[in-house]
Amino acid sequence: MYEVHQWGTMSPAVFQRPRQACQQMLARQRLPCMHHTHYTMRQRTGSADKLNCRAASDQAEPDANAAGRNMAAAFAAHVLQSGAASPSQRRKPSHLMPPTQVVEAQLDALQRNDWPESDAGIAVAFAFSKPHDAESLLPGEISSGAAAAWGGSERWLREPAFKDQLHSPPFDVLLGCDSWQLTSPMSFPKQREGQRALQVVSVKAQRRPGDPLLGVGPGQESLRQYFFTFCLECISQGPYKGCWMTVGLRVGDYANV
């Protein structure tokens, strides 16, 4: 049985009631909250503390951006306390990450593509895609900035073109998908050179106009199941030595043929 990662249910403590959690944390910190029109602020004058009670909403926080920063900080603290993965965690290749975890890190990021900023998930996928000069770089050198394109052909794209590719069919269904699941064990095809791996995944996402229904139950007619095969390679030398990186993503199941 493979684990299903569904948007909105992966971390219930984080995503179901963020507003209430933020309000509670702001109340404990005595910070102004955007969901209240009144708040109590302690003001120190000389050696005595005075309460400035029930300040009117038009006298609350003159800087709306400051209130927004307070809310964002409270939410980030709530995410941290809940044990959810930080946006900065698992977002860069590491020789300590097995190939299955590399696939999971990319799918998790693409499912929440615009968190914490726009196209953050695509940036993660680009970071895990094999750089063109991955095995020729010396320690301390910076990559040329081109990485393996996703698809059947061997191409190299810079990040803006890579973003355009993932925003276009057939890969656009990965962005903000409803759920994803690893559908088979990781396979390691025999190669004359290098170490390769294949991982099949199924993704439930909004059905494109004209696509037939597939793999969904009653009440899910707006969704469709899509299958992809991640093609990965273990880098043999250079600063990425030992890292599993994506060298392509193909539509369909190519691991069991």
Side-chain angles (χ1 to χ4, degrees):
M1 182 64 66
Y2 297 97
E3 181 180 2
V4 177
H5 299 255
Q6 185 169 0
W7 175 250
T9 62
M10 293 181 295
S11 302
V14 178
F15 297 106
Q16 288 182 356
R17 294 189 297 274
R19 171 176 171 175
Q20 293 89 331
C22 292
Q23 288 177 337
Q24 294 172 2
M25 296 189 70
L26 289 170
R28 290 196 296 269
Q29 299 175 23
R30 292 187 177 275
L31 295 174
C33 178
M34 291 188 295
H35 301 296
H36 293 279
T37 57
H38 300 89
Y39 67 97
T40 302
M41 180 175 63
R42 184 174 296 275
Q43 183 178 24
R44 181 175 295 277
T45 302
S47 59
D49 287 344
K50 295 183 178 181
L51 290 177
N52 185 7
C53 300
R54 298 185 63 83
S57 59
D58 57 349
Q59 297 177 348
E61 175 58 66
D63 185 1
N65 292 330
R69 288 192 297 269
N70 292 334
M71 178 65 73
F75 179 72
H78 172 69
V79 170
L80 182 62
Q81 291 178 2
S82 67
S86 166
S88 62
Q89 293 178 358
R90 300 203 315 168
R91 292 191 168 245
K92 292 182 180 179
S94 169
H95 67 281
L96 299 176
M97 295 178 68
T100 300
Q101 190 176 357
V102 170
V103 172
E104 292 174 342
Q106 294 176 85
L107 288 173
D108 184 48
L110 293 172
Q111 188 178 35
R112 298 179 288 173
N113 182 49
D114 292 326
W115 186 74
E117 61 266 344
S118 177
D119 283 339
I122 295 180
V124 172
F126 185 76
F128 277 99
S129 297
K130 179 183 176 181
H132 180 264
D133 48 3
E135 294 174 331
S136 61
L137 290 173
L138 296 175
E141 283 189 324
I142 300 176
S143 173
S144 63
W150 287 13
S153 60
E154 185 174 339
R155 294 187 300 147
W156 306 93
L157 302 176
R158 295 189 180 276
E159 189 167 1
F162 187 85
K163 287 183 179 181
D164 291 340
Q165 184 183 50
L166 264 66
H167 274 290
S168 304
F171 307 118
D172 56 335
V173 296
L174 298 169
L175 306 180
C177 63
D178 184 76
S179 64
W180 59 267
Q181 181 179 9
L182 306 182
T183 57
S184 70
M186 180 74 67
S187 63
F188 298 89
K190 293 182 179 180
Q191 299 286 338
R192 292 183 179 179
E193 296 180 0
Q195 190 175 3
R196 301 292 183 96
L198 298 176
Q199 176 65 65
V200 181
V201 301
S202 67
V203 175
K204 283 188 179 181
Q206 290 295 317
R207 184 164 57 94
R208 299 192 195 95
D211 283 356
L213 291 174
L214 177 65
V216 295
Q220 295 184 319
E221 289 77 9
S222 63
L223 301 176
R224 186 186 189 275
Q225 190 174 32
Y226 299 88
F227 290 91
F228 296 91
T229 301
F230 275 86
C231 306
L232 302 108
E233 178 181 333
C234 186
I235 308 302
S236 61
Q237 62 185 24
Y240 292 99
K241 182 179 180 179
C243 295
W244 284 95
M245 306 191 79
T246 302
V247 294
L249 183 67
R250 304 184 68 177
V251 178
D253 182 349
Y254 285 87
N256 300 304
V257 294

